[in-house]
Amino acid sequence: METPAVPMPKDERERQILNNLTAIQDSLLLLKRDRTKYIRTQDVVVLHDQLIEQIRQVNEIRKGQQTEENRLDKVLESCLQLISLFFMTIGRTTEAPAAYALTSTIKRLLDHLTEARIFSGKDLTSISNTLDRLEGILKNTKKEHSPYLVELLANRESRCRSVLANLRKQLDQLDEPLQVIYERLISVMRSMSLANTKSKFSTSEVQKLKAKLQEINATQVDGKFVDAEGKEYRGSEQVSVLLGHCLRWSDIVLERKGVIPEGFKDKYNILIGIRNDLEKLSLTQAWSLRETDLYDFQRQLDKIDEARVDGNWLDPEGHPAELYVQRTLLYLIRRSYGYIYYLMNSSEPVSEALLPIYNQLQTLKRCLIEVKNSGGVGSVRELYPYSMKLNSIDNMRVDGKFMVGNDIPEGQGNVSELLAECFDLNYELRVAAEELEENENQSPAPQEDAS
């Protein structure tokens, strides 16, 4: 794995810790790449404990000292990221280690939102809710995990909240009617950036989006947003500036039609590939995602994102990217981080070993609810396929546990609870069907007309 060009530790003790961390990192990467078997909890926990011991030693060496970032910090960050994703993969999503990867992604998203100054209230609400959930995880599992890790996560969560509060202040400066217009502008801007990065550029699609901007522009009076009495709304200038940016961007997109200069084509193609792969995963993640796979996407994105000089990329000859290229690449990076955030948030509290069963039960539950909402079934016979599938899953348990070989994977309670919900739904439908059949049998036969 590539390690950024950062200095080696000067302290001999830190050099030894770096060697230990590198060995742990290698073990984690080997475990991640092994697709021949499911990831076992015991394998992850052993490496987690080894990592925590190295963190303890680092803290003791650096206690009360200010140290510059060196290679040890980079490898440690990589190990923590991997361990966090492993905890998600084995289904321990409600424990402190699993929170680390999410805080990293949230920090990236917030940094980009701050840089771009283009974000919606929905963005901030989603991140705020996730931080609330992570805070709850830290409080509930504080006693079970290393104080070094808990303190590290608490500090990261606090920093994220500080950035989030600053972004929220910017939105609060807008009067409520302008917040609605602002949200529409953000939506149009993002739709335009999406259209700009499609494999086949559609001029008509971008023109329709530009027409929406012109509609908003037409509601201004002398370049200002005003109320019914002609009084300028608070934040009018800010929204007018954003509208101007959007209109200029629409003209640039229509002019360039998705064509990227040769000097930046490689970066563009890599980012398009990452964005498309993550988009597919977001549609099929319940069946195809192993959370540790997100590590590779993050590494690629981080490398491209951190290659910027003064916020911009340089082509092979050292020339900075023009505005069109810069915005296009930044959109793809931010969109990809957004997908990673969504996929981490969607991680089920079930080991990947049990996911096939869990996903089948999720599908069964949705089907049974749909049947119930559409009026139930006409006869008990119609429920046979559901009953047979539920019984076949129930029969897979050994002493009440779903086993994989000799292992008892994480998430037993979640799978058993979901199975019980499906049985309850199936039972309700069967009782209703039996009552329906009984009522039909008791109804008197219609009499023939004597005439």
Side-chain angles (χ1 to χ4, degrees), residues 256-313:
R256 301 299 294 268
K257 293 182 168 52
V259 178
I260 298 293
E262 200 60 41
F264 295 96
K265 205 69 183 283
D266 288 345
K267 282 187 178 66
Y268 177 79
N269 289 335
I270 291 170
L271 290 173
I272 282 287
I274 292 172
R275 193 273 310 270
N276 291 347
D277 287 344
L278 288 168
E279 184 178 26
K280 288 174 191 171
L281 277 175
S282 72
L283 298 173
T284 62
Q285 57 97 12
W287 300 95
S288 59
L289 176 67
R290 178 186 260 193
E291 284 82 355
T292 49
D293 293 341
L294 297 176
Y295 177 80
D296 295 326
F297 291 117
Q298 283 182 305
R299 287 291 296 175
Q300 291 181 79
L301 289 170
D302 292 351
K303 184 180 175 183
I304 295 174
D305 195 15
E306 292 166 6
R308 291 191 280 163
V309 178
D310 296 327
N312 202 355
W313 287 276

Side-chain angles (χ1 to χ4, degrees), residues 4 11 16 52 130 240 318 360 377 416 425 440 450:
D11 190 306
Q16 182 55 53
I52 294 300
T130 302
S240 293
Q360 287 179 57
V377 294
S416 296
L425 282 166
E440 287 178 352

Side-chain angles (χ1 to χ4, degrees), residues 413-425:
N414 298 86
V415 178
S416 296
E417 183 180 341
L418 187 54
L419 178 61
E421 289 176 12
C422 289
F423 269 120
D424 288 343
L425 282 166

